[in-house]
Amino acid sequence: MSAGKGTGTHMDTGVDTDTGALVAAADLRAALAGILTGWKVPAEQAGAVAELLVEADLRGVDSHGAHLMSMYVSRLASGDLSPTTTVSTVHDDGTTAVLDGGLGFGQLAGLAAARLAAERAERHGVAAIAVRETTHLGALGAYTARVAEAGHICLCVQNGPTFVPPFGGVTALMSTNPLSYAVPTGREPTIVYDIATTAVAGNKLLLAKKRGDPTIPAGWANDAHGHPTTDTAAASVRHLQWFGGHKGFGLALLVELLAGVLAGSSFGTTERTASALHGDARIAKGVVLVAISPERFTPRDTFTAAVDTLIREIRGGERAAGVDRIWLPGEPEHERAKVRARDGIPLPAALVAELRRLAADVGAAPLRVRPAGQEES
């Protein structure tokens, strides 16, 4: 389950009506990597970032996929994002470690933290890895899923710029403060829960603006004056609403305390970063991953079999009127990824044009697409 998504009564795995084109995952991956290498990102690192962006698009988490490329290019152009990512160790005592992302690509710091969390959980039974001075990681579920697929339970939290006021306030102090957890399974798809603590991720609103959607659902965001709105143009990414009101805010506060205060990163209006960008322009983020090895409690096969049993009980229970299927976190994305890997990833026409322009700017090969609904020639 990704940011802003619910466990609805059905899942649309088809092509969106406002989509301008379909693109094969391999073609999108190559185009994104080409743009990044054009900005002097090392080829191996560019490929890893592109891989995670395409993974998000395959899973239907479009707000955290290729849509982000223009933001990354803008930050590379301004010099605020380092084209070469160097992840260093600040502290390491075995079960806990603090990494520094060097204000490079967050995806690379996130992958390094996930690998370390899985390795240390295997060795010690539990691990907590903090990352400071990293930047946008994309969908957190990409990291928790990798730890879960290595056999461990994983929780990941991340803070960021000051976009969102506390519940009942008007002074922006927090980001969308996402959190994700993932749990290993046996035969069932890995459980992957990935949400913003706001009603939606900020990039989901930005993508709605890019598509030209006239309206957004009630409860997503306020306008620049703090008034609730469904007008996409008027909605402000700096005035998102918390999901569940005070409940979402309570979870966001936990994220801020862990990923900000505990990790030694910026929090609230307190800046602890080498970056010159502060407040709502802040790009430095803090991240904490916690990994737990089920084997320290029960044999791993026993644990994953029990998780499968619970999944089947949930899925097989009596459904409410009008509900076609009960979905577990991560299942809609898992199913959608199979469809998009086969049929292509749907991209809005505006995004296709944007990616082609970014490629042209650095002399990279243009994105290869075909119009939605047509077979590839």
Side-chain angles (χ1 to χ4, degrees), residues 72-129:
Y72 295 156
V73 166
S74 174
R75 291 175 177 180
L76 288 167
S78 66
D80 295 308
L81 175 61
S82 174
T84 300
T85 302
T86 302
V87 181
S88 59
T89 301
V90 178
H91 162 83
D92 185 349
D93 69 0
T95 57
T96 64
V98 179
L99 306 180
D100 188 303
L103 295 174
F105 280 92
Q107 286 88 349
L108 302 174
L111 289 172
R115 285 192 294 268
L116 187 59
E119 172 196 316
R120 297 301 172 80
E122 188 72 29
R123 185 186 307 176
H124 302 292
V126 65
I129 311 299

